[in-house]
Amino acid sequence: LAVLGGRRGACGGGGLSALPGPWALPLVGGLPPMLHPELPLHLLELARRYGPVYRLRFGAKDVVVLNSVDSIRQALTQKWSDFAGRPSSFVADLISLGGHDLSLGDFTPGWRLQRKVAHSALARAQRLQLDPVLGAQAAALCQVFRSYGGAAVDVAQDFSLQTCRTICAMAFGPMMPDAAATRDIHDCITELVALWGRGAVRALDALPLLRVFPSGALRRLLRQVRFRDAFVRAQIQRHQESLRPECARDMVDHMLQLLEERRGAGGGGDPTAEGGLTPEHVHMALVDLFIGGTETTAALLTWAVAFLLHHPQVQDGIHAELQRVLGPERPPSYGDRDRLPLLSATISETLRLRPVAPLALPHRTTRDTSLLGFTIPKGTTVIPNLFAAHHDKGTWSRPLEFRPERFLEADDPRLAQRNLVPFSCGARACLGETLARAEIFVFLGHVLREFRLEPPAPGALPSLRGLYGTVVRCPPFRVRVLPRGPLPEPPVTP
Ligand code: HEM
């Protein structure tokens, strides 16, 4: 581990000072700090020693870690273009049709257009389909829960499959693949994400020598990538065959139309050229909506169930609120969120305590810049520690406690919301924030309206200690999902 030195005013910013950081990093459990198994917690610990912004040495590189909401907002929002890059990654390039990924792509003109197109397609689909899709998917989820007849079950898989179906319905509209194909792509995506998180795969980025002898994990990862790409290609082809210029049926149609428009305008082809948008960009944008849209939202829903098992009075409060505001007949839709403050506050508190992407995705500075008076050179990897920002004692009172009421009681609840950054902020903020928030609200509202969540045996409560990867998950647990009253009529599935 190298000793870190400072660069006073390295980029001509007179008066700027070197970033603090551990001069000689201790080995933690035999591992360098960046490989700590509970990295967000460990980085938070370091912030207590070194302040909200510090740097670490990882391999040959400096990594700057932001641990407070102010430093995160200042970097990613106020200086958004300085911090909008992504570090290059051998593995990401290998599995993204040669570096056409949306989430991991660097801040280039081609990437900006890719994000704009994906954003426009998702926003349009949300405008047209959000309520019916979420209503149908939430009803289907409740039907699955009903079928358990009160047995103790692990609901994480149900959430994961249902969130994948939601993104399938949004992306493919009336041409949504059948249940078996949706399950196959769900299983492929979850396996792919798990393999990608494996040490043997991650190490390929840091240790090029390992690339000579691909591990079993990498071979399995590439197999899943081939399956994923065949699936996405088949969906795009089906859409292309029946595409009508005057109407876009769903997100794929919309993105294909925008691609055609760019081609017509002479902007297609070279992805590095201003305005370059390629079919690979559309393909990988779809892939990222599936990856981003499945495991994160499902993990958050699972965390909400775990916290509610620990806090049955909050469940009862939300059920009472749903009955009082909407009556027994009407299930909630996202438009009801301001009328259901306890449900909304419970979701905010779950997002605060377990921001499911706790370290966001790594950013990279696109030019020499500065933050809170510190110099940060171009090309530095920057990690926004959202978990630390949500556990900052200077911002939140009793930050370790689950207290949804903090979002109701705050002198200014909007201030509490401002300090909440689970979707990050700025140019690389989560593209699916609206969909995720709506899905969590509608799914949880449907479930808590109809069911009481109980542990499998008195006192058998789930562990709340996170399993940390790119996504922070709740350790597997079982729950009894018990109908609160007579079963409603089976829903009509569209
Ligand atoms: C990126 C959080 C759900 C699509 C991100 C980032 C975070 C995040 C923290 C990284 C932002 C950064 O690098 O600064 C979450 C959480 C979710 C969620 C907490 C649910 C609870 C979704 C959904 C979708 C989605 C439902 C898609 C439908 C994406 C995409 C990116 C992203 C495409 C990459 C954006 C870019 O690099 O420009 N998300 N996300 N996410 N998310 Fe989400």
Side-chain angles (χ1 to χ4, degrees):
L1 289 169
V3 171
L4 299 183
R7 291 184 198 81
R8 184 172 291 275
C11 56
L16 296 177
S17 51
L19 272 163
W23 278 80
L25 293 172
L27 283 174
V28 184
L31 294 171
M34 290 301 288
L35 299 180
H36 193 287
E38 295 188 326
L39 188 56
L41 272 80
H42 178 61
L43 297 178
L44 170 62
E45 275 306 310
L46 291 179
R48 294 197 174 122
R49 232 179 302 160
Y50 296 100
V53 181
Y54 56 77
R55 66 199 172 105
L56 299 171
R57 170 63 49 109
F58 185 51
K61 288 184 182 166
D62 275 0
V63 174
V64 170
V65 189
L66 315 178
N67 294 279
S68 66
V69 73
D70 284 339
S71 59
I72 291 171
R73 284 203 183 274
Q74 198 172 117
L76 306 189
T77 306
Q78 287 167 27
K79 296 194 163 186
W80 62 270
S81 69
D82 293 7
F83 288 85
R86 294 277 192 224
S88 67
S89 151
F90 168 80
V91 181
D93 284 356
L94 196 64
I95 64 173
S96 62
L97 305 180
H100 288 86
D101 204 51
L102 198 169
S103 309
L104 303 175
D106 204 5
F107 189 61
T108 62
W111 174 84
R112 290 181 75 158
L113 199 54
Q114 180 187 34
R115 179 162 167 129
K116 210 160 130 186
V117 164
H119 180 266
S120 155
L122 189 57
R124 182 178 177 280
Q126 283 166 187
R127 230 174 21 251
L128 299 177
Q129 293 164 255
L130 192 67
D131 279 342
V133 166
L134 290 185
Q137 297 303 329
L141 180 69
C142 289
Q143 207 166 357
V144 172
F145 283 179
R146 243 172 267 139
S147 75
Y148 293 138
V153 288
D154 181 345
V155 289
Q157 182 73 1
D158 296 325
F159 284 141
S160 173
L161 194 54
Q162 215 60 52
T163 48
C164 186
R165 289 199 176 123
T166 301
I167 193 70
C168 258
M170 300 292 282
F172 305 131
M175 301 179 78
M176 180 165 165
D178 64 21
T182 312
R183 181 175 276 277
D184 286 348
I185 188 63
H186 164 267
D187 294 351
C188 164
I189 294 284
T190 47
E191 171 81 357
L192 193 155
V193 171
L195 286 165
W196 193 6
R198 290 271 180 91
V201 174
R202 293 266 160 188
L204 293 169
D205 278 332
L207 305 168
L209 263 182
L210 295 178
R211 297 170 199 168
V212 183
F213 306 106
S215 64
L218 180 65
R219 280 197 296 271
R220 290 215 303 284
L221 176 73
L222 294 178
R223 208 164 38 240
Q224 295 301 344
V225 168
R226 283 195 292 277
F227 183 90
R228 173 202 80 183
D229 288 340
F231 172 85
V232 172
R233 225 170 267 127
Q235 304 310 318
I236 291 181
Q237 197 176 337
R238 284 171 67 211
H239 280 72
Q240 272 167 333
E241 283 163 4
S242 53
L243 189 65
R244 297 211 323 267
E246 70 280 9
C247 87
R249 294 159 294 189
D250 51 33
M251 284 176 65
V252 177
D253 274 1
H254 189 64
M255 287 203 268
L256 290 174
Q257 284 179 349
L258 292 173
L259 183 63
E260 272 312 305
E261 275 170 29
R262 301 297 312 180
R263 275 211 185 111
D270 178 7
T272 56
E274 184 65 46
L277 181 76
T278 64
E280 288 81 9
H281 281 122
V282 170
H283 181 115
M284 286 310 300
L286 271 169
V287 166
D288 276 9
L289 292 173
F290 270 88
I291 294 186
T294 300
E295 289 301 282
T296 43
T297 312
L300 196 281
L301 285 161
T302 310
W303 276 114
V305 169
F307 279 111
L308 288 171
L309 284 172
H310 282 259
H311 299 273
Q313 77 288 1
V314 179
Q315 280 192 57
D316 291 342
I318 295 173
H319 178 77
E321 181 180 78
L322 285 159
Q323 295 292 310
R324 195 175 58 250
V325 175
L326 302 180
E329 303 301 329
R330 188 161 86 74
S333 66
Y334 193 45
D336 295 316
R337 59 194 179 280
D338 291 339
R339 303 167 66 209
L340 298 167
L342 184 56
L343 175 57
S344 298
T346 301
I347 292 168
S348 295
E349 183 66 342
T350 310
L351 283 165
R352 185 188 69 80
L353 276 167
R354 296 294 179 270
V356 282
L359 299 178
L361 292 168
H363 288 239
R364 190 184 61 83
T365 45
T366 55
R367 56 175 74 97
D368 286 347
T369 185
S370 64
L371 188 67
L372 304 179
F374 295 118
T375 299
I376 303 182
K378 178 179 176 177
T380 305
T381 297
V382 177
I383 297 183
N385 187 354
L386 310 178
F387 182 91
H390 289 181
H391 286 78
D392 183 351
K393 287 185 185 140
T395 308
W396 307 95
S397 66
R398 289 147 55 199
L400 295 178
E401 290 176 26
F402 178 82
R403 292 197 310 115
E405 59 274 23
R406 72 174 79 242
F407 290 94
L408 306 171
E409 285 169 354
D411 292 341
D412 182 354
R414 276 170 311 179
L415 197 62
Q417 286 297 346
R418 186 203 169 270
N419 291 328
L420 201 62
V421 280
F423 298 94
S424 191
C425 49
R428 306 300 300 235
C430 175
L431 199 72
E433 174 169 353
T434 303
L435 176 60
R437 284 187 183 279
E439 200 171 0
I440 294 162
F441 183 87
V442 173
F443 281 20
L444 214 53
H446 272 67
V447 169
L448 296 175
R449 164 181 173 264
E450 190 178 332
F451 302 98
R452 204 173 58 246
L453 307 169
E454 288 203 353
L461 293 169
S463 162
L464 297 175
R465 197 180 177 122
L467 302 173
Y468 290 90
T470 306
V471 172
V472 56
R473 290 166 207 282
C474 189
F477 67 92
R478 290 186 310 142
V479 53
R480 293 194 309 142
V481 190
L482 299 168
R484 283 191 181 256
L487 297 182
E489 290 295 308
V492 183
T493 328

